[in-house]
Amino acid sequence: MKKEYVHLLDHEVDQAGKRLRPLLDKAAADASPSISANLAAARAAAVARVAALEAERSAASTVVANGSTLAVNGGGLRERISDWRFWATGIVVAGLVASYAFSQYRESNVAREAAEVELMILGDDVPVDALLDKGFSSYLREENK
Amino acid sequence: MSAERKKKWRVVAEKQQTLPPEQRERVQQRMENWSRLSPDERKKARAGYEEIKQLPPEKRAVAPQKWDEYRNLPPEKREELRKKAAAERDAPKK
């Protein structure tokens, strides 16, 4: 024989439950002491099982949370600090930064010194044409002899 | 213009504000011509400046007048002086 399933909507289930409740309440009230005891034990067992399931779920989520915390803040960092590659990378990066900073500093100094000399040349009372004319320096040397 | 030259001009622009007005005006007049010089010419000008700087103070003071005198020399004489300078430069150092 083939079973037939009837799918009820939520509100239909609610309505059916409401209609059944008085009948079940009456049946429970009229139940014998042994049935009442069995029901109470079954209820207690079900409650205990739900409590155990909740405790298990809560513990699992704590482990996951702690695990991720350790990975980020605890063990991960400690592992990185003790790893030579961490330090090697740090030294290489620091070296590159220092080298770049030094080259910038040196470039800036060279530019400053060159600018100072150029400024003196441009502001001098001897014109630039005279500085470029080698004959003039020879003339000055002759005059100094 | 290279980044280095930009930096240099920035410093020149900053520093020239501290010069006396006469010198500042001279710098501004010469800047354009200076920027047209090749790196080699600028190098020669720096070397010429270093040379003049090493003259005794009394000789250094009259250098501008000497330049005027030099410019009034006959062209052949100036050419002769240039050749002499080139020969001295190329002569092996003792």
Side-chain angles (χ1 to χ4, degrees), chain A residues 107 114-116 118-125 127 130 132-133 135-137 139 141-144, chain B residues 7-8 15 23 26 30 34 41 46 49 51 55 59-60 66-67 69-70 81-82 84-85 88:
Chain A
E107 208 174 279
E116 279 168 8
E118 284 185 12
L119 198 60
M120 283 193 283
I121 292 171
L122 294 176
D124 202 271
D125 47 7
L132 287 170
D133 195 327
F136 178 58
S137 61
Y139 178 68
R141 278 197 298 274
E142 265 191 5
E143 290 284 308
N144 284 331
Chain B
K7 262 185 198 172
K8 202 155 62 179
K15 293 238 169 196
Q23 211 175 352
R26 204 183 286 150
R30 291 177 180 175
W34 181 261
E41 285 172 320
R46 280 188 209 108
Y49 179 74
E51 213 171 302
L55 290 173
K59 302 278 181 192
R60 172 74 181 84
K66 289 287 170 193
W67 170 243
E69 276 177 28
Y70 173 80
L81 287 164
R82 283 186 198 120
K84 195 177 165 191
E88 281 171 5

Side-chain angles (χ1 to χ4, degrees), chain A residues 106-118:
Chain A
R106 199 177 50 184
E107 208 174 279
S108 169
N109 265 1
V110 167
R112 185 168 294 277
E113 280 167 22
E116 279 168 8
V117 172
E118 284 185 12

Side-chain angles (χ1 to χ4, degrees), chain A residues 21-33 35-36 39:
Chain A
R21 193 172 65 185
L23 298 174
L24 288 171
D25 285 349
K26 190 172 183 298
D30 295 343
S32 66
I35 289 174
S36 294
L39 284 172

Side-chain angles (χ1 to χ4, degrees), chain A residues 62-136:
Chain A
T62 307
V63 167
V64 168
N66 287 346
S68 63
T69 306
L70 276 174
V72 173
N73 297 332
L77 184 60
R78 252 179 253 130
E79 271 172 29
R80 278 183 206 167
I81 287 171
S82 61
D83 189 348
W84 67 269
R85 282 171 298 193
F86 172 79
W87 292 106
T89 309
I91 288 166
V92 169
V93 170
L96 288 173
V97 169
S99 158
Y100 177 75
F102 179 70
S103 75
Q104 288 293 304
Y105 169 76
R106 199 177 50 184
E107 208 174 279
S108 169
N109 265 1
V110 167
R112 185 168 294 277
E113 280 167 22
E116 279 168 8
V117 172
E118 284 185 12
L119 198 60
M120 283 193 283
I121 292 171
L122 294 176
D124 202 271
D125 47 7
V126 177
V128 176
D129 287 347
L131 304 176
L132 287 170
D133 195 327
K134 280 289 164 193
F136 178 58

Side-chain angles (χ1 to χ4, degrees), chain B residues 12-45:
Chain B
V12 168
E14 278 168 24
K15 293 238 169 196
Q16 68 163 310
Q17 303 302 319
T18 62
L19 298 174
E22 190 194 335
Q23 211 175 352
R24 191 167 45 202
E25 199 180 325
R26 204 183 286 150
V27 170
Q28 284 165 355
Q29 281 170 356
R30 291 177 180 175
M31 261 179 164
E32 201 185 330
N33 284 339
W34 181 261
S35 67
R36 285 200 203 109
L37 295 180
S38 68
D40 191 46
E41 285 172 320
R42 282 197 283 263
K43 197 175 160 187
K44 279 182 188 162

